[in-house]
Amino acid sequence: IHPGQISGQYSGSPQLLKNLNIVGNISHHTTVPLTEAVDPVDLEEYLITHPLAVDSGPLRDLIEFPPDDIEVVYSPRDCRTLVSAVPEESEMDPHVRDCIRSYTEDWAIVIRKYHKLGTGFNPNTLDKQKERQKGLPKQVFESDEAPDGNNYQDEQDDLKRRSMSIDDTPRGSWACSIFDLKNSLPDALLPNLLDRTPNEEIDRQNDDQRKSNRHKELFALHPSPDEEEPIERLSVPDVPKEHFGQRLLVKCLSLKFEIEIEPIFASLALYDVKEKKKISENFYFDLNSEQMKGLLRPHVPPAAITTLARSAIFSITYPSQDVFLVIKLEKVLQQGDIGECAEPYMIFKEADATKNKEKLEKLKSQADQFCQRLGKYRMPFAWTAIHLMNIVSSAGSLERDSTEVEISTGERKGSWSERRNSSIVGRRSLERTTSGDDACNLTSFRPATLTVTNFFKQEGDRLSDEDLYKFLADMRRPSSVLRRLRPITAQLKIDISPAPENPHYCLTPELLQVKLYPDSRVRPTREILEFPARDVYVPNTTYSYWKQLLIYVYLNSINSYSKTILTYNL
C-alpha cells in the first residue's frame, strides 16, 4: 500500500500528512537496495492508532459505525438421533479432532440489529405496498387527464376569438408574447405575503403543514427496486440443517406366488431413466413365511432387529417423470439357467396343486437340497417396476374426483388397489403421461396400496443396468420388447404414501435410532441413502460415515467361466 493512498483517505488529518512528509523526505535521502524486501505499511494498525477526527454534529451518527450493531448468539445444535454418530475424541489426532468438533459445536449466529436500515434489506413487498396505499387519494395530474371533447372544442373557439390576429404575428416575437400575456388568467393572490412574520413562526407553520395529512411511512410508498438491479442483497441465512429431498414412505405388506417351494428375497431401489442413474441404495426386505425361513437356519444366523424392516423412507431431491421404483426378486443359488429355475413358477398354478402334487413335492425336495448346500448365496429371479409419478397423479385424481375405486378385502379404509399387469404396461389408464411441477410433488398425494400381479422373468444375458434402463423406457409405451417377456404370476402388495415429518421407530442409513423410538423391540422403518441424480449444493452439517466416504460397490457382471466355478464349487 502506497502512503499516498492513505493520504487520499485521510486528507483532513494534519498528523498523517506530517508523518507522510517525513517519510517522503527520508526516502529522498535514503537509498533502498532493489533486492531488499520492504515491509508494507500496516494500514489496519495505523487506522486504530490514528482515528479519523470527526467534528461533533447532528450527522456524526451517520458517519460512525454503530458499536452495538453486531451481536453473537450461540444456539445449541440439534441431534436427531438418540446416539450421536460422531466418534469418540479419545484416540484421535488433533487435526481430526478439530474437524470432528465442527459437527458438534453450537451454532454461532451473528445478529445485525441495524440490518433493516441498510440498502441490502428491502422489506417492501407487493402485499405491503397495497396495504400502505389504502385510503390514499389518487394523484391525477393535468397531463394524465384525457381532454373532454365538448369542453376542449369550446376552449379552442374562445381562444381564437380573443386572439384573432395571433396567426398574423410571428411565433416567438415580442408581439406574440404580449398577446399571451393579455390572454392569460391572473394567479390567485397570496394572503399575508407582505406581512412581517418572524422566521421561527414561518418554520413552525411550514412544519405543521408538512405534518398534516402526512403518511406515517412516506418513504416506504416508493416502489421497490427491480430485483435485477445491481444492489447487494444481504439476506439473513437460515440455520443449516441436514438435507432431505421429498420423502416417500414405502411399506411392503405381502408377497405370494402360485406355488410356495422355496424362500424368495426382494429388494427395492429408485432409478432415474433420463439421467440413467440409480438414485438410492437397495432396501432388502423378507416376506417369507416361517416355514420357508426354516430352510435357511443352518446358514443364516439369528436376525437382528435392524434387518427385519419392511418399511423404507426414500428421499428424492430431484423428482421427475422418469423416476421408477424397481423391485427385484432373488432366490437361493441353484444349478441351471435362470430361465429353467423360473419355469415352474410360470407353469404351475395354485388351483392345480392337487393334480400336480407329486411334481411339487419333487420341486420342494430339490429346493431343500439347494438351501442346505448353498443357502448363503443368491441368484437373480424376476423383477418389475412402478412408475412413481403415475401413482402420484392417479392418487391425486382419486382424491379430487368422485371416481369409484375397487377396495380390496382386508385393506384399510381409504386405500385403493390397482391390479397392475406389467406385461401390458402402457395400455391401462394408469399409464398416462403427466407434465408440470405439480405432478412431481411427492408430499401431498393420497396414500395408495398397490397390488403388483406380474413380474418379468430375469434374462440371463440382460442383467446390466443399461438393459434395465431400456426396459424402463419401454414401460411407458407398449413395445415388442416387453411383449416377448414371459410374466411370472405373483401378488406383491405395497403401500406408498408421503413420509411423515417425524416417523416413529425409524433408523438412519447408519442404523442409528432416530428420536421418538420408545421401544427397541418394534420392527423399525429404514431411511434409505439417496444418490442424487445431480449435485446438491448444501453444507455437510451432520456427521455420517457414508457422506464422508461414499463408495458404493456392487457386482456389475461376471464372466461365464467364473460363473461356472461359482455354481459348482461353492
Side-chain angles (χ1 to χ4, degrees):
I1 302 176
H2 195 272
Q5 299 179 1
I6 304 179
S7 64
Q9 298 291 335
Y10 284 75
S11 58
S13 178
Q15 180 66 26
L16 177 59
L17 295 178
K18 180 180 178 181
N19 295 340
L20 293 178
N21 290 333
I22 294 175
V23 175
N25 294 331
I26 295 176
S27 63
H28 286 296
H29 299 283
T30 304
T31 303
V32 180
L34 297 178
T35 57
E36 183 179 349
V38 180
D39 295 334
V41 178
D42 193 345
L43 180 61
E44 290 77 9
E45 182 180 358
Y46 186 87
L47 293 178
I48 295 175
T49 57
H50 299 78
L52 179 63
V54 180
D55 297 334
S56 60
L59 301 179
R60 181 171 181 175
D61 294 338
L62 299 179
I63 299 176
E64 294 182 347
F65 189 83
D68 59 341
D69 178 42
I70 294 179
E71 180 183 2
V72 180
V73 178
Y74 291 93
S75 175
R77 186 188 294 256
D78 295 333
C79 181
R80 61 187 298 260
T81 57
L82 296 178
V83 180
S84 176
V86 180
E88 298 292 336
E89 299 182 3
S90 57
E91 299 179 358
M92 287 186 182
D93 295 335
H95 175 69
V96 178
R97 188 183 302 111
D98 293 339
C99 295
I100 292 298
R101 287 178 181 175
S102 63
Y103 296 101
T104 58
E105 292 181 347
D106 295 339
W107 296 111
I109 303 175
V110 179
I111 300 177
R112 302 179 183 271
K113 296 182 179 180
Y114 306 108
H115 173 67
K116 296 183 178 180
L117 302 179
T119 57
F121 179 80
N122 182 22
N124 294 336
T125 59
L126 184 60
D127 296 336
K128 289 185 178 180
Q129 287 288 88
K130 292 181 179 180
E131 185 68 24
R132 293 191 185 102
Q133 293 173 2
K134 289 183 179 180
L136 294 178
K138 186 178 181 181
Q139 301 290 335
V140 180
F141 300 93
E142 296 179 358
S143 59
D144 298 333
E145 292 181 345
D148 190 5
N150 298 330
N151 296 337
Y152 180 74
Q153 185 64 32
D154 295 341
E155 291 178 359
Q156 292 295 326
D157 296 341
D158 182 62
L159 181 61
K160 288 182 179 180
R161 286 193 299 269
R162 287 187 297 170
S163 57
M164 297 180 60
S165 60
I166 193 171
D167 296 336
D168 301 334
T169 306
R171 193 68 180 170
S173 63
W174 176 83
C176 181
S177 300
I178 291 296
F179 281 114
D180 293 340
L181 183 60
K182 289 182 179 181
N183 294 329
S184 62
L185 297 177
D187 295 334
L189 297 178
L190 298 178
N192 304 327
L193 178 61
L194 302 178
D195 295 346
R196 287 183 174 273
T197 307
N199 294 335
E200 293 79 6
E201 182 65 20
I202 295 177
D203 293 340
R204 187 189 63 80
Q205 293 177 2
N206 292 336
D207 187 56
D208 293 340
Q209 291 179 1
R210 282 194 297 267
K211 291 181 179 179
S212 62
N213 299 327
R214 182 185 179 92
H215 196 275
K216 60 180 180 180
E217 296 177 331
L218 180 62
F219 293 100
L221 295 176
H222 190 276
S224 59
D226 192 1
E227 293 293 336
E228 297 181 356
E229 293 183 4
I231 298 179
E232 183 182 6
R233 299 296 179 187
L234 300 177
S235 58
V236 180
D238 298 330
V239 177
K241 58 183 180 180
E242 187 174 0
H243 168 75
F244 291 107
Q246 298 188 24
R247 286 154 63 90
L248 196 70
L249 176 61
V250 180
K251 297 180 180 180
C252 305
L253 306 179
S254 63
L255 175 62
K256 184 179 179 181
F257 286 86
E258 293 286 347
I259 57 176
E260 187 179 18
I261 58 176
E262 59 183 336
I264 301 295
F265 310 94
S267 64
L268 300 177
L270 293 177
Y271 288 82
D272 193 320
V273 179
K274 183 178 180 180
E275 300 292 338
K276 291 187 176 181
K277 289 183 178 180
K278 184 179 183 179
I279 60 175
S280 77
E281 64 173 338
N282 292 335
F283 168 62
Y284 294 92
F285 58 96
D286 188 359
L287 297 176
N288 291 298
S289 61
E290 294 298 329
Q291 180 183 0
M292 293 294 101
K293 292 179 182 179
L295 300 177
L296 301 176
R297 284 198 179 95
H299 301 281
V300 180
I305 189 65
T306 57
T307 63
L308 301 180
R310 294 180 180 177
S311 303
I313 297 178
F314 292 88
S315 177
I316 307 177
T317 301
Y318 302 105
S320 66
Q321 299 291 331
D322 305 290
V323 177
F324 284 82
L325 179 64
V326 177
I327 307 168
K328 292 184 178 181
L329 303 181
E330 295 178 341
K331 61 192 300 294
V332 176
L333 181 65
Q334 69 180 67
Q335 180 180 357
D337 187 71
I338 298 177
E340 297 177 0
C341 300
E343 191 70 22
Y345 292 90
M346 295 182 289
I347 296 177
F348 296 104
K349 302 298 180 182
E350 184 178 7
D352 302 333
T354 305
K355 182 175 60 176
N356 301 319
K357 183 177 180 180
E358 295 182 0
K359 295 181 179 179
L360 293 178
E361 290 295 334
K362 182 179 180 180
L363 291 175
K364 289 181 180 180
S365 176
Q366 295 178 356
D368 188 12
Q369 295 178 6
F370 287 116
C371 289
Q372 296 296 328
R373 293 173 50 203
L374 305 172
K376 293 183 179 180
Y377 308 101
R378 310 285 182 262
M379 63 180 296
F381 176 51
W383 69 276
T384 189
I386 298 174
H387 192 195
L388 281 183
M389 294 309 158
N390 283 340
I391 302 302
V392 172
S393 59
S394 300
S397 64
L398 290 174
E399 185 179 12
R400 292 189 299 268
D401 302 335
S402 58
T403 307
E404 294 184 1
V405 184
E406 177 186 357
I407 304 298
S408 299
T409 305
E411 292 183 352
R412 58 177 173 80
K413 184 178 180 181
S415 64
W416 59 286
S417 175
E418 190 271 324
R419 310 293 293 182
R420 185 172 183 272
N421 190 334
S422 299
S423 62
I424 55 173
V425 171
R427 286 180 285 179
R428 300 184 61 90
S429 60
L430 181 64
E431 296 294 332
R432 62 175 184 271
T433 58
T434 56
S435 60
D437 296 337
D438 295 339
C440 298
N441 186 9
L442 302 178
T443 60
S444 58
F445 67 95
R446 185 178 179 182
T449 299
L450 306 180
T451 302
V452 183
T453 57
N454 282 20
F455 285 82
F456 295 119
K457 180 186 66 174
Q458 183 68 64
E459 301 291 339
D461 55 346
R462 296 180 181 179
L463 299 175
S464 64
D465 288 345
E466 288 73 14
D467 296 324
L468 178 62
Y469 296 138
K470 294 178 182 178
F471 287 133
L472 295 179
D474 292 334
M475 287 190 69
R476 293 204 289 181
R477 56 182 183 274
S479 62
S480 58
V481 177
L482 294 177
R483 291 173 183 171
R484 289 199 300 266
L485 298 179
R486 295 181 60 184
I488 297 176
T489 304
Q491 189 180 71
L492 172 64
K493 287 187 177 182
I494 59 176
D495 185 80
I496 301 179
S497 62
E501 185 176 358
N502 297 313
H504 291 198
Y505 308 106
C506 187
L507 298 177
T508 64
E510 298 83 13
L511 302 181
L512 296 177
Q513 295 178 354
V514 181
K515 290 181 179 179
L516 299 178
Y517 208 106
D519 190 356
S520 300
R521 297 170 296 179
V522 178
R523 191 187 300 273
T525 298
R526 288 279 308 276
E527 288 182 352
I528 305 303
L529 183 65
E530 180 188 8
F531 307 146
R534 299 185 296 275
D535 293 335
V536 180
Y537 299 99
V538 294
N540 290 326
T541 58
T542 56
Y543 182 88
S544 174
Y545 175 78
W546 302 111
K547 293 181 180 178
Q548 308 311 314
L549 184 62
L550 184 55
I551 301 178
Y552 193 80
V553 182
Y554 62 99
L555 185 62
N556 188 23
S557 62
I558 188 170
N559 58 53
S560 58
Y561 176 73
S562 300
K563 184 168 61 176
T564 305
I565 297 178
L566 188 67
T567 302
Y568 295 103
N569 297 332
L570 283 177

